[in-house]
Structures are given as C-alpha cells and as structure tokens.
Amino acid sequence: MPTNPTLLLTGDEFRGFAKSKVMIVLWVLMPGIALVGFLLLRHRARLELGPGHSISAKQYMGFLESGIAGAIASVLVAVEIVSDRSRNVYQLFVIRPIRPESLLWAKFIAISVLVIIAATISMSIGFIFDATEGRPIDADELLQSGKAILATAQGVGLACAGGVLFGVLAKDSILVAVVLVLQIGQNFIFIPQIPAFFGVMQNQFWLWTAITFAFLFAVMWIAGIAFRRSQF
Amino acid sequence: MLRSAPVAEPVVQIRGLTKAFYGQRVLSDVSFEIERGEVFGYIGPNGAGKTTTLKILAGLIGKYQGDVMIGGANVAKERAKAHKLLGYLPQAAGFQKWRTVWSALDTLGALSGVPDDVRKRRIGELLERFDLAAARHKRVKELSGGMTQKLGLMQALLHEPAVLVLDEPLEGLDPPSRSLLKEIIIERCKAGTTVLFSSHILSDVEDVADRVGILNGGKLAISGSIRDLTAAFGLPVEIGVEFAAAPVETGFLANHGKVAELKHGQWRVELPNGADSDAAIHAIIEATLAAGGRIRKIGVVDPELDDLFAEYINRAKHAN
C-alpha cells in the first residue's frame, strides 16, 4: 500500500525534533518554569483576580505555560520553515508526486504535539505539588485542569498554524518570520475568544473549541495555497 | 513505482519558454526537444539562464510563458503526472541536517512511490556504487561537499525516472566519481532514460552528450550535435595523423593545409574550406607509405566543445 506522505513526513519530523537541541531546551525549560511558578505559589490554593473571582494556582500556571508554549511553537515552526527553504531542502520534496502541503502539515503536527506534551507535563507538576502539600485533588479541579490542557493545545495549535503561515510568507528571511509571528501570529490565539468579549457564547467551551479548530484549518489552508504558489 | 512506462517521444518539449524576474527577462523564447534515450548538454556562461530553465522543467518555478512538457504532461498543469517521470538534482541539493544518508534516501524514495523491498535493495546498491555504504548512518551535517553531492545524485536515480534533469551534477565530485556518474548516465540512456544536464565542465559534457544547446543571455543560441555545431560555426576541418614509423620527411602534409606538430609523431592538418577530407586522408596515407612511413591512426578530428563554446562567445561578443 502506498505510504501516506503526510504520515511519513510527520514521523520523520518527530524523530528529527525529538532529538534536537531546541526540543531538549523545551523539555527542560517549560517544566522548569512550572516548577519555579508552583514553588512561588505553593502556599496559595487560589489566586484572587478580582472581587469574587479567583483561579487556582494550577489554572494560573496553565495560562502562563500556554502563552509560553504558543510563543515557542509559533517561532520554532516559522524559523524551521524559513531555514529549510533557504537551504533548498524543499526542492527535493516538491518535485516528488506529493501535495506540497504535506510538508507543512508534517512540521505543524510534529512541533505542536511535542510542545503540547511538554506543556502538559509542566502543567501537571501542579498536581505533584498538591500531593506534597496534602491537598486533595477533586473531580472539578481535574476537569478544569483537563480543560486548561485542552485550551493550551488549542492555543499551541493556533499559534503553530500562524507560525506556519508566516514562515511560508516570509520566504527566506528568518527575521521577517519572527517579527510577523510575534506581532501578528500570537494574536491568533484570541480570535476564537472574540465572541466571549462581546458577551456572546459565554461558557461555551466546546463551541470555542470547534471555532478554534475551524480557524486553525483555515490558516493552514491559506498557508498551503501560498506554499503551493511559491517558487523554489 | 518501478521504472516508468514507455512514454511518447520526444520526451522533453520546451516551446517558447520566456521568464522574467522583477521585470528582468532571464529567458527569451527558448525552444528545444529531447528524444527518448538522448543526453542533452545544456551549456552557457554564468547567468545565461540554465538553472532557471532546469528549475522550470522540474516544476520549481511556476510562473512563465510557453509550454514545458515531460512525457506529454504539461509541467504547470499536470504537475503530479510530470513529477512521476522526473528525477532532479538541483545545483546545491539541500537536506535536513538531522537526517541520516539512509533516512534521506528512504523517505525520498518512498515519496517517489518506490515499494519498500525494492527501495531498500536499490539504496544498498547505490550506496555501494557511490562508495557511501560506510556512511549510511551518518547525518547529513557530517558529510563533505562531495558526499552530499553524491547523496543528491542517488536520490535522483533511486526511483529510476524516465527523465533525469541534473544541474551541475559533476560539481564537487572527485575524478573517479565523475567517471562513475558519466558511466551511469550512459547506462541509463541505453535503457531509455532521457537526460538533460548543465555543466561548466565542457569536456565532461562532451563525453556523454548526444547534443548540446548553448544558452546565452536567456536565448538558446544554437543546439545540435558537435558535428552540427562545427558545420554551423564553419570551424575548419582538421585531420589528425599519428605515425607508427615516421616517414623520411613530412613536408607532403603541408600540401593539404596548415600543419602543426602536437608532439613527436602526432600531427594536425587544418584543411582549407571546402576541401574533401576523405580525399586528403587518402592522399596522406599514400604519401606516407611512399616516404617509407607507417600510420598508426588517421582521421577527421572533431573540435572540442571548449573550442566551439569559445568560438560562439567570441562571435557573440563581436556581434554586440
């Protein structure tokens, strides 16, 4: 049976990234930040954000890790795409009878999954702290943490899709790619939350999730069109 | 995918190819065809547009005027169909640095549709042939320039394409590897593969090319076999004579044209325009035997591609 190009390339990218120095830093940096954060917040079960509104330390660290993970994923994927392109790596792939978008999806899946795993591990450190503090873990907190991890995954996915798009548009300039990603791509993460700002569809987590994925696919689709029209 | 099915001839057709980058025209109305099993050498000075032509043929550059066909498939409109027939070596082949030699070939071969068992066998054979078997698990970043070039060649050959497009394939290769590649090109052509390659090393082009095209300033100035180009340029016909035993005197050679002794016992005679080369050869043989000499070798000497190219550039300069 013919090999699916996207699956084949994704497997290769996983192997390439998992052993890279960048990923090693990620696997150390993100849990390290989580560890420091939970050490600082260890005596606080909840953080007061305003009158009658508080979030748990885990939720707070979740937001923080999510933002860091999104930034890392988007910059990483954009720089990777620009770097591969400038070294003529893509030429040998796009002359094969495959859809050029397979290259982008492979990069996207590999980087976003590895970053999400690193973020999930980091966010889970909070449960270890709760256990050491003797604080019971209740079902509601587990659910909230699960949602936080899913929200992080969405954020990373969106940021990564933005990184793919701007990596393709930046062609062979790493500087342009990084600027575009940090100035524009990072804001993609807020787009699915726009309805909530207008008081519409509040507490509709699964609807936001659906909108997020739809937006993610739209961004990747545009990136694919731009990539296909590129000249190598 | 194993060896591509036989395709209609000519295999490569380029008609009216014109391309501009940012308003600067780099190719103007380039047209040529390459028949099945033929080797076409594409030469020209730096900046002539050779790499641009090859990239368009490989489908790496999409916006241009004209028609570019591989095996009857339009490269712009039937991309996947054209790419199934194509093996391409770019001027500077790039690989992800974390890949090993084996992984690069395995993935690229799989993407070209080569089945698993066939792929593994062919990769092993190519690695042996290119003397890279010991480096199969080395990462690309650890390879020398010549080894990377060999890797680029192997990925182009792996799926045994119907058409090979090679941009400066001999660059960075040591002499044994250059001989090997020329041997492989000739083998593949005998099996029906069509080859288009560009090179600055004209002697290497001459060794393998059936026909040559000279590109200059984005225009295909002339194309044909070396004999055709010689006739087109009106370069003088030369007869090469090598004596096994030198005659008493060699003055008779001057009766047929301008004479030059290359080294002891080897002479070149430049015939005047319109002279009958066969008659001149016959006369030289008779005069040599009459003067007590013996001939080891005699015949018409084709000009070298370097000479033709130099002549072309000289004329182009004067025309401008």
Side-chain angles (χ1 to χ4, degrees), chain B residues 3-21:
Chain B
R3 181 111 175 80
S4 304
V7 293
E9 296 170 41
V11 177
V12 174
Q13 294 171 288
I14 294 180
R15 291 192 209 116
L17 180 59
T18 301
K19 171 70 183 170
F21 286 112

Side-chain angles (χ1 to χ4, degrees), chain B residues 234-237 271-277:
Chain B
L235 290 182
V237 175
L271 301 181
N273 279 343
D276 182 344
S277 56

Side-chain angles (χ1 to χ4, degrees), chain A residues 5 8-9 12-13 16 19 84 87-89 91-98 100 107 228-232, chain B residues 19 55 58 60-63 79 83 88 90 92 94-99 107-108 110-112 155 159:
Chain A
L8 173 64
L9 292 167
D12 284 356
E13 291 285 351
K19 290 182 280 190
D84 279 352
R87 287 184 294 107
N88 295 328
V89 167
Q91 286 185 352
L92 296 181
F93 288 97
V94 298
I95 54 129
R96 254 92 191 158
I98 63 168
K107 197 78 79 177
R228 194 191 273 271
R229 288 184 182 175
S230 296
Q231 303 195 99
F232 294 93
Chain B
K19 171 70 183 170
K55 278 185 161 184
L60 294 172
I61 293 175
K63 296 184 192 108
R79 190 181 178 139
H83 282 166
Y88 174 65
F95 299 90
Q96 285 140 327
K97 289 183 177 172
W98 47 264
R99 283 197 186 272
T107 294
L108 291 171
L111 293 175
S112 290
Q155 64 78 31
H159 52 294

